[in-house]
Amino acid sequence: MRFRHPDGSTVHLAYCTNVHPAETLDGVLAQLRDHCEPVRRRLGRDRLGIGLWLARDAAHALVTDPSALRGLRTELDRRGLEVVTLNGFPYEGFGAEEVKYRVYKPDWADPERLAHTTDLARVLAGLLPDDVTEGSISTLPLAWRTTYDTERAATATTALRTLAQRLDALAELTGRSIRIGLEPEPGCTVETTADAIAPLTGIGHDRIGICVDTCHLATSFEDPHTALDALTQARVPIVKSQLSAALHAEHPHLPEVREALAAFDEPRFLHQTRTATAAGLRGTDDLGEALHGHVLPDASPWRAHFHVPLHAAPAAPLTSTLPVLKSALTRLVGGPHPLTSHLEIETYTWQALPPELRPRARAQLADGIAAELALARDLLTDLGLKELP
């Protein structure tokens, strides 16, 4: 979906396909048919933006076979879909029964991460619509914190500088500018937007910036305006923003609140949990640890890294951090000029919701994704952006 900002520029809105995990190119093509096109039809749109997640094997197949890349581009066009952004965070296995810490491997100190991200950039340059010259890719924020030391930090910085050189060469060759955004996430080396400023200014390249995920922003109790102002002042490019909402518990000391939270403690994904105290931010790596380990203070609200559907906040006594998303969006695109042109809804946890909230059929999932996109569309038009055909 495209929108015209009051300054005349185009803002793109997509939804991320990591909600439909597939490891192969055939699986990606099936996603377009079974999920993405039905979502587009529900919205009554001739064209719908999708943020593709391409696992290692799918990306490698596309970058080594020009005919496969042309075939994917043709299939996108045929189904009324377009791609200006990729999710390059998960490397493989995102559809496994247990993902947890595996999603952070390989990290930016491992050569596989540089190779995969280079492949993604080359693929995206070939998938961009004819009238679009800029693409974006989100990636993990360097590494999970416990595996990162000075030596690995130096290796990661070198890898990102190498990537920047490759992106420059790709732009010269294709006329397409692809930018990469580190995506701060709780528990990682770069947990907050503030953590991203030093490494990104150290790299000092306009094609290496940040992806602001509003669920992660909220989980870490960052104020959106403060965070985005600091990035702007530091001249860190906001490559893209993922529009997502975290799980919020206002009174975590109450038994009924803990019981409600326990329904979201599932075995597939990591749900980092945080609370803001007078002594600073406190947290656990997973929701179960917070609920059962008695290690997280409960006098103040808790927020958990669980991407809940934007249009459907959990039932009381829980809620979501949708207000944080709205505040961030106001700063991202509500000003005289947008801070980013690429927005992507990333609710990958539909099948990890408590059983009674999960979509039971393909059609229900399409309905839910379409409802999220409709909500985001309304937020954008309320900010003065005009939806384009």
Side-chain angles (χ1 to χ4, degrees), residues 1 60 86 107 174 241 248 274 316 346 359:
M1 299 169 75
H60 185 70
L86 300 179
D107 64 36
T174 65
S241 180
H248 180 94
R274 299 287 185 267
E346 196 212 14

Side-chain angles (χ1 to χ4, degrees), residues 294-370:
H294 304 290
V295 295
L296 196 61
D298 60 8
S300 299
W302 285 4
R303 289 177 179 172
H305 173 217
F306 195 116
H307 290 224
V308 297
L310 302 187
H311 68 293
L318 304 179
T319 187
S320 82
T321 60
L322 184 63
V324 176
L325 184 160
K326 292 179 178 178
S327 179
L329 198 60
T330 298
R331 184 70 180 89
L332 285 166
V333 300
H337 304 288
L339 300 183
T340 184
S341 297
H342 292 175
L343 305 173
E344 177 186 56
I345 293 172
E346 196 212 14
T347 306
Y348 58 84
T349 44
W350 281 93
Q351 297 302 338
L353 290 167
E356 68 275 11
L357 301 179
R358 294 174 195 168
R360 293 183 297 277
R362 204 179 277 169
Q364 286 183 309
L365 178 58
D367 289 342
I369 293 170

Side-chain angles (χ1 to χ4, degrees), residues 56-70:
R56 177 198 61 178
D57 289 348
H60 185 70
L62 289 166
V63 83
T64 56
D65 184 354
S67 65
L69 184 58
R70 288 193 299 270

Side-chain angles (χ1 to χ4, degrees), residues 159-343:
L160 285 166
R161 286 178 175 150
T162 299
L163 176 65
Q165 294 170 356
R166 293 178 180 178
L167 296 176
D168 286 344
L170 183 64
E172 185 173 348
L173 179 67
T174 65
R176 288 351 190 8
S177 175
I178 308 299
R179 299 194 298 167
I180 309 298
L182 302 184
E183 181 186 331
E185 177 165 314
C188 293
T189 302
V190 175
E191 172 157 337
T192 66
T193 58
D195 295 335
I197 290 175
L200 289 174
T201 54
I203 293 167
H205 197 288
D206 62 2
R207 288 198 172 95
I208 309 292
I210 192 170
C211 168
V212 177
D213 183 300
T214 58
C215 169
H216 304 170
L217 191 79
T219 301
S220 294
F221 287 86
E222 290 194 80
D223 174 73
H225 290 268
T226 301
L228 295 171
D229 285 347
L231 293 173
T232 301
Q233 291 166 9
R235 297 186 177 180
V236 172
I238 302 175
V239 170
K240 65 186 280 190
S241 180
Q242 288 174 326
L243 306 183
S244 52
L247 190 62
H248 180 94
E250 185 69 19
H251 302 292
H253 65 285
L254 296 177
E256 60 267 29
V257 175
R258 287 178 174 257
E259 182 180 356
L261 283 170
F264 289 83
D265 179 25
E266 53 84 37
R268 185 172 173 188
F269 298 112
L270 206 60
H271 301 297
Q272 302 93 314
T273 304
R274 299 287 185 267
T275 187
T277 73
L281 202 64
R282 296 281 301 278
T284 59
D285 282 356
D286 214 347
L287 179 56
E289 184 184 352
L291 288 169
H292 308 300
H294 304 290
V295 295
L296 196 61
D298 60 8
S300 299
W302 285 4
R303 289 177 179 172
H305 173 217
F306 195 116
H307 290 224
V308 297
L310 302 187
H311 68 293
L318 304 179
T319 187
S320 82
T321 60
L322 184 63
V324 176
L325 184 160
K326 292 179 178 178
S327 179
L329 198 60
T330 298
R331 184 70 180 89
L332 285 166
V333 300
H337 304 288
L339 300 183
T340 184
S341 297
H342 292 175
L343 305 173

Side-chain angles (χ1 to χ4, degrees), residues 12-35:
H12 295 266
L13 173 66
Y15 90 88
C16 185
T17 64
N18 62 355
V19 65
H20 319 299
E23 302 286 316
T24 66
L25 180 54
D26 284 345
V28 171
L29 294 172
Q31 290 173 354
L32 306 184
R33 178 194 68 222
D34 295 340
H35 300 288

